[in-house]
Amino acid sequence: MRLVPRRIDLFLEASGRACPAPTSSTCRAAVALAMVAAVCFAQTPTAPQIAGRLTANDLKADVSFLASDELEGRATPSKGLDIAAQFIAAQFRRAGLEPAGDDGYFQTAAFSSVKPNLEGLELTLEIGGRKIAVERASMALSQPVPASLDDAPALRVAASGIASLTPDQTRGRALLIEAARPPAAAATWAPAITILISSQGPRATSGRSALRDDSAPAPGAPTVLVWDAAIRSALAAAPDAEVKVSARIPAPAVEPVKLRNVAGILPGSDPALKDTYLVMTAHYDHLGVRAAGDGDRIFNGANDDASGTASLIEIASALAALPAKPKRTIVFIALFGEELGEIGSQYYVRHPLFPLAKTIANVNLEQLGRTDDSEGPKIGLFNLTGFDYTTMAEAFQKAAEEAGVRAVNDQKNSDAYFGRSDNARFADAGVPSTTVSVSYMFPDYHAVGDEWPKLDYENMAKVDCALALAAFGLADSLDAPAWNAANPRTARYVKAREAGK
Ligand SMILES: [Zn+2]
């Protein structure tokens, strides 16, 4: 349970770095003032002080609820996700965090669920004078924007020619791109329609609804993915033939969806530095329920990422219960939508609750419970993604040592996983970031067997103790973390940081 602060006098005795003993009345007054301002001693907590407040049993309680079948895999959006959000808000309230959202602890994000209307969808290509209607089962609407075209001459682009296209060339045109993906530059184009020719269909069913952030610019034109064999062979047989496009793209069914990040703060103690922020995150969503099949169909997501969410709750609770607060403010955020492509963290960096330029770092928590990694047991240690991308590793190593665990650089996975969780969206926005994990790949990853009894809670409590110490240390330090510019992989993040200042 969340412990109330132990008596302050005991805490002072236990701490190694109290203020010097007052020797005169003036000095006594000065020391008293300093105590009030909490400037003189924001004592760094010790591992036993954290460990007494952050227990394996509390972590198990949180994970067993979040990963219960009743929450139905916490899909974004779903009733189970909403219940999880309420639970997290209640735990933040119990811990005594200050609410940081627009609606108490909730940061409300207006999204739309956009479901393509496949009834009435028609696409016909005239290739070298021969009209071929695309099979409905061999196309998917990746951007279901309504459109109507009749015999529009297409700008035919081979995969090799995409890079040289200018926005001017594409404006108002029907684009026929002989590649499965548009280039990143396509975001600046304004065509009438984009048709992508692919060797295969998308993994998800084509009629599935997609989520769209209402605050982001809506796509102005449809994109259709086509893998129809007749079309592909006709194009291949006539690489220079003129192509004309006729299309009927019906309007999609659009429904409003309210999604929520859950945010609370532990205000900093230093009058000047409390307006700077360490952001700790974990995603509370997972994959939901498999549509069909026998047996268990619920993706409980106990390790991914109820473990990170429970850790976020318990680290916040342990730090909030300490008598000493770090100089800077710590922001705790449970994020929606990571499994859909980090849409919760993407929303946050577009709508930050606290200025990103004053956000010193993001520490993201993922997969902290399972120690049975696919590469072998991972006990008494944790990994950092992008271990040497930032100056943060040292703070984690020091805290780990104090807590009796190790912060390691997983040579094979550390860099490869940097872009695979919410920390990446903070990095894109220039904020130095890392994801902390015990295991990367484990049996039951993204499978229905990722259930709460399989986590090692004793190990998790030790790791979380180190993470709480590291968070305190980072938030209490006068030096803000920075990107390691000597590592060429950080170049775009360094640039984004500069641009954000
Ligand atoms: Zn995850």
Side-chain angles (χ1 to χ4, degrees):
M1 305 302 345
R2 255 57 52 200
L3 298 176
V4 291
R6 298 246 164 74
R7 282 175 40 218
I8 286 182
D9 49 352
L10 282 179
F11 180 77
L12 282 179
E13 263 173 41
S15 162
R17 273 201 298 146
C19 290
T23 53
S24 72
S25 61
T26 326
C27 182
R28 209 172 300 143
V31 170
L33 266 178
M35 284 175 72
V36 169
V39 168
C40 177
F41 57 95
Q43 278 115 337
T44 307
T46 62
Q49 280 167 348
I50 296 288
R53 297 174 163 94
L54 202 171
T55 69
N57 202 50
D58 285 351
L59 290 165
K60 190 193 285 180
D62 297 335
V63 176
S64 63
F65 178 78
L66 289 166
S68 61
D69 282 356
E70 282 73 9
L71 266 59
E72 297 184 331
R74 310 183 305 282
T76 302
S78 70
K79 186 81 180 166
L81 189 77
D82 289 344
I83 294 170
Q86 284 293 355
F87 172 80
I88 297 159
Q91 299 305 317
F92 282 1
R93 196 171 288 123
R94 183 197 301 271
L97 298 188
E98 285 184 13
D102 56 281
D103 173 17
Y105 291 98
F106 301 126
Q107 180 187 33
T108 317
F111 272 64
S112 292
S113 163
V114 181
K115 193 175 175 14
N117 180 359
L118 300 181
E119 293 301 311
L121 170 64
E122 280 171 32
L123 180 65
T124 301
L125 299 188
E126 186 184 312
I127 301 165
R130 188 177 141 226
K131 283 197 174 190
I132 309 174
V134 180
E135 285 276 351
R136 202 172 288 170
S138 302
M139 62 176 153
L141 270 172
S142 42
Q143 276 182 8
V145 178
S148 182
L149 286 94
D150 292 293
D151 299 320
L155 179 63
R156 192 174 168 181
V157 189
S160 58
I162 292 173
S164 58
L165 270 189
T166 65
D168 268 349
Q169 286 175 309
T170 64
R171 188 162 300 120
R173 301 291 301 273
L175 292 184
L176 183 84
I177 298 180
E178 295 181 59
R181 274 169 192 279
T188 64
W189 297 350
I193 188 172
T194 302
I195 298 162
L196 300 167
I197 305 296
S198 170
S199 58
Q200 56 186 1
R203 268 196 287 167
T205 52
S206 55
R208 209 163 84 170
S209 45
L211 286 172
R212 189 184 286 165
D213 181 349
D214 291 353
S215 70
T223 299
V224 192
L225 185 73
V226 172
W227 59 97
D228 186 300
I231 296 283
R232 286 172 54 221
S233 60
L235 287 170
D240 299 317
E242 198 196 350
V243 177
K244 287 181 181 167
V245 176
S246 297
R248 297 283 171 272
I249 314 281
V254 179
E255 267 182 56
V257 174
K258 194 170 80 173
L259 298 171
R260 293 180 298 187
N261 289 322
V262 191
I265 62 168
L266 185 62
S269 59
D270 183 275
L273 291 176
K274 71 179 168 51
D275 293 330
T276 60
Y277 308 89
L278 172 71
V279 176
M280 274 195 119
T281 52
H283 72 88
Y284 71 98
D285 69 305
H286 195 55
L287 301 167
V289 182
R290 186 160 51 208
D294 292 332
D296 186 3
R297 293 191 283 120
I298 299 171
F299 294 98
N300 302 80
N303 198 37
D304 184 10
D305 190 25
S307 71
T309 306
S311 299
L312 187 79
I313 289 168
E314 298 306 329
I315 290 168
S317 303
L319 292 178
L322 291 170
K325 301 285 177 276
K327 296 184 181 71
R328 303 177 195 272
T329 294
I330 306 182
V331 187
F332 298 91
I333 314 177
L335 298 160
F336 66 83
E338 191 269 352
E339 303 289 5
L340 297 180
E342 299 103 33
I343 61 172
S345 49
Q346 193 154 34
Y347 183 86
Y348 181 84
V349 299
R350 280 195 193 130
H351 307 273
L353 295 168
F354 304 97
L356 294 177
K358 293 193 168 186
T359 299
I360 60 161
N362 165 237
V363 174
N364 184 48
L365 311 177
E366 275 259 22
Q367 300 184 181
L368 293 169
R370 293 285 286 259
T371 50
D372 55 335
D373 191 280
S374 304
E375 292 172 3
K378 304 267 182 187
I379 295 163
L381 59 82
F382 60 86
N383 304 287
L384 303 174
T385 62
F387 190 90
D388 54 11
Y389 283 19
T390 74
T391 56
M392 285 192 279
E394 204 186 315
F396 283 100
Q397 284 173 313
K398 190 167 157 268
E401 200 178 315
E402 265 200 70
V405 294
R406 288 180 302 131
V408 300
N409 183 357
D410 183 318
Q411 297 291 346
K412 186 178 153 206
N413 297 312
S414 167
D415 288 6
Y417 275 81
F418 185 81
R420 289 182 57 172
S421 189
D422 289 303
N423 72 287
R425 303 288 78 83
F426 283 86
D428 289 345
V431 177
S433 73
T434 186
T435 286
V436 183
S437 303
V438 166
S439 62
Y440 289 119
M441 204 41 72
F442 60 99
D444 305 312
Y445 172 78
H446 282 201
V448 294
D450 182 8
E451 305 201 50
W452 70 265
K454 298 179 183 176
L455 276 58
D456 180 343
Y457 295 97
E458 294 293 338
N459 188 73
M460 194 171 156
K462 275 190 205 159
V463 167
D464 284 355
C465 176
L467 301 181
L469 290 171
F472 191 104
L474 288 167
D476 200 45
S477 171
L478 294 175
D479 301 320
W483 292 107
N484 173 15
N487 184 332
R489 289 183 177 164
T490 68
R492 55 189 270 237
Y493 308 127
V494 172
K495 222 167 126 189
R497 190 61 158 172
E498 284 304 314
K501 275 189 178 152

